[in-house]
């Protein structure tokens, strides 16, 4: 009996024919509450969409609004390795195969046959020149041409003649670049006051110099000669500014090749390389901001 009563109460709650109610509400009541929620949520959706549209109006399609976390640029090198340690044995190709492979893969985009399209690339000179101004970011110019960069300018570190980049002779190369920052214009040092004595001879107009030396005092005299290859042995200004992926899809960063000619063998050496300029900064928290250090261990046993 109680079961039938409960069933009847449940059925009456779903549909009460005496009062004309469905789930405790009349048709008019359901219409009012559904109409209220429809208008309420439509209003919330409108506020949300309007806020997003207002925010989008303040953003540029070509340049990040805030770049505090990426300026000044980082200085990076190829090949990269765990803990920035490059160790190999002259007598064992397998110990440096990964390094040379990484360099060959990185330089593929700098092959001459990749830069032949006259609509995408242009010659910007083989000597350091002033900034290449291609208009404002928000102008109607559209896609910008990129400066060609020839691998041959990297000398023996180009991989064109020596596929092993000097590793087999104990004269390893590193390929160095400044990381891309939209609309960044590097400024060369205006004087020798802020750079070490060894790098002062590299100061010249329209180029950001780079200089490598021993990081630890105990490595003084063990690094040997470092040769620099590239336009002006640094980062020439005609490759800047960079206009971003949308406007500058073919952009090639200028490269500097470092070759360590006579590293002390069978010894761990700590080398630090820095780019120098008026708007290049360094941070102890970010070891690649404007500089990097690498450990070299070359063995011949």
């Amino acid at each position: 009996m109680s079961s039938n009563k409960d069933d009847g109460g449940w059925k009456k709650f779903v549909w009460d024919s005496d009062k004309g109610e469905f789930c405790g509400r009349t048709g008019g009541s359901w219409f009012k509450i559904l109409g209220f929620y429809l208008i309420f949520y439509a209003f919330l959706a409108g506020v949300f969409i309007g806020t997003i549209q207002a925010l989008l109006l303040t953003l540029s399609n070509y340049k990040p609004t805030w770049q505090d976390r990426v300026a000044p640029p980082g200085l990076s090198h190829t090949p990269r390795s765990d803990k920035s340690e490059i160790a190999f044995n002259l007598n064992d190709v397998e110990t440096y195969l990964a390094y040379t492979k990484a360099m060959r893969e990185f330089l593929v985009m700098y092959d001459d046959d990749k830069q032949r399209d006259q609509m995408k690339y242009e010659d910007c000179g083989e000597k350091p020149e002033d900034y290449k101004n291609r208009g404002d970011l928000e102008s109607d110019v559209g896609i910008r041409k990129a400066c060609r960069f020839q691998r041959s300018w990297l000398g023996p570190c180009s991989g064109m003649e020596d596929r092993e980049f000097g590793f087999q002779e104990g004269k390893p190369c590193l390929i160095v670049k400044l990381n891309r920052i939209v609309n960044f214009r590097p400024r060369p040092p205006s004087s020798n006051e802020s750079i070490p004595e060894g790098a002062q001879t590299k100061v010249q107009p329209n180029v950001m110099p780079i200089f490598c030396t021993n990081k630890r005092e105990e490595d003084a005299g063990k690094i040997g000669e470092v040769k620099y290859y590239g336009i002006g042995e640094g980062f020439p200004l005609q490759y800047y500014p960079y206009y971003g992926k949308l406007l500058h899809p073919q952009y090639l960063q200028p490269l500097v090749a470092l070759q360590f000619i006579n590293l002390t063998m069978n010894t761990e050496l700590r080398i630090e390389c820095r780019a120098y300029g008026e708007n290049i900064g360094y941070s102890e928290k970010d070891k690649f901001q404007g500089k990097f250090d690498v450990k070299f261990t070359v063995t011949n046993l």
Side-chain angles (χ1 to χ4, degrees):
M1 293 292 292
S2 59
S3 176
N4 292 336
K5 184 177 181 180
D6 291 341
D7 291 344
W10 178 81
K11 292 179 180 179
K12 192 168 185 179
F13 170 75
V14 174
W15 172 248
D16 188 339
S17 58
D18 296 335
K19 298 180 179 180
E21 294 179 346
F22 175 73
C23 293
R25 290 182 180 275
T26 62
S29 178
W30 277 114
F31 177 79
K32 291 177 181 179
I33 195 170
L34 290 175
F36 168 78
Y37 279 112
L38 179 64
I39 296 172
F40 177 70
Y41 285 113
F43 173 76
L44 291 182
V47 171
F48 176 76
I49 294 173
T51 302
I52 295 299
Q53 291 297 324
L55 176 62
L56 292 176
L57 292 175
T58 67
L59 300 179
S60 168
N61 291 327
Y62 310 112
K63 180 183 178 182
T65 303
W66 303 105
Q67 298 190 92
D68 295 346
R69 300 184 66 180
V70 295
L75 190 69
S76 57
H77 62 86
T78 301
R80 295 285 294 273
S81 61
D82 294 338
K83 300 180 181 179
S84 294
E85 296 180 1
I86 297 180
F88 63 95
N89 190 320
L90 299 183
N91 303 316
D92 187 356
V93 176
E94 293 295 328
T95 61
Y96 57 81
L97 183 61
Y99 302 139
T100 56
K101 179 182 178 182
M103 297 177 77
R104 286 193 293 270
E105 291 176 348
F106 173 75
L107 289 172
V108 165
M109 68 182 76
Y110 287 86
D111 287 342
D112 290 343
D113 60 357
K114 298 285 196 308
Q115 306 176 51
R116 290 175 179 167
D117 192 333
Q118 299 292 335
M119 300 299 294
K120 297 178 180 179
Y121 298 94
E122 62 180 326
D123 292 324
C124 298
E126 299 183 15
K127 295 182 179 180
E129 298 180 11
D130 202 358
Y131 305 110
K132 191 75 172 180
N133 189 7
R134 295 181 172 88
D136 296 332
L137 285 173
E138 303 292 344
S139 67
D140 297 328
V141 176
I143 302 297
R144 319 300 161 92
K145 288 185 177 182
C147 289
R148 292 185 175 92
F149 190 95
Q150 298 179 23
R151 286 181 63 170
S152 59
W153 294 339
L154 301 179
C157 295
S158 66
M160 299 174 69
E161 296 181 3
D162 179 8
R163 297 276 293 173
E164 304 304 327
F165 298 93
F167 278 81
Q168 79 282 8
E169 299 177 355
K171 301 177 181 180
C173 294
L174 291 181
I175 307 297
V176 184
K177 61 183 176 66
L178 277 175
N179 292 344
R180 302 178 183 185
I181 297 180
V182 176
N183 216 29
F184 177 73
R185 295 172 183 258
R187 298 196 301 271
S190 57
S191 69
N192 290 334
E193 297 178 0
S194 60
I195 59 179
E197 183 178 353
Q200 291 179 3
T201 58
K202 294 181 172 295
V203 176
Q204 57 179 304
N206 299 326
V207 67
M208 297 274 295
I210 180 174
F211 182 69
C212 301
T213 187
N214 55 287
K215 185 175 179 63
R216 304 179 301 191
E217 292 184 5
E218 59 264 33
D219 290 336
K222 299 179 181 179
I223 305 301
E225 182 183 7
V226 182
K227 288 191 175 182
Y228 304 81
Y229 299 97
I231 299 179
E233 299 182 1
F235 303 105
L237 299 189
Q238 65 258 41
Y239 287 81
Y240 301 94
Y242 166 56
Y243 286 84
K245 291 183 177 180
L246 291 179
L247 296 178
H248 229 163
Q250 313 299 329
Y251 178 75
L252 294 174
Q253 293 150 280
L255 304 176
V256 178
L258 313 174
Q259 186 170 30
F260 302 92
I261 300 301
N262 49 355
L263 294 171
T264 300
M265 298 288 178
N266 308 310
T267 303
E268 181 186 279
L269 303 172
R270 194 83 175 267
I271 301 173
E272 181 180 76
C273 300
R274 293 188 179 221
Y276 293 92
E278 294 294 316
N279 53 352
I280 298 292
Y282 314 103
S283 171
E284 294 302 321
K285 295 181 179 179
D286 184 353
K287 61 182 180 180
F288 292 105
Q289 182 174 307
K291 62 182 176 63
F292 68 83
D293 64 85
V294 60
K295 294 178 184 178
F296 264 111
T297 305
V298 184
T299 59
N300 57 359
L301 302 177

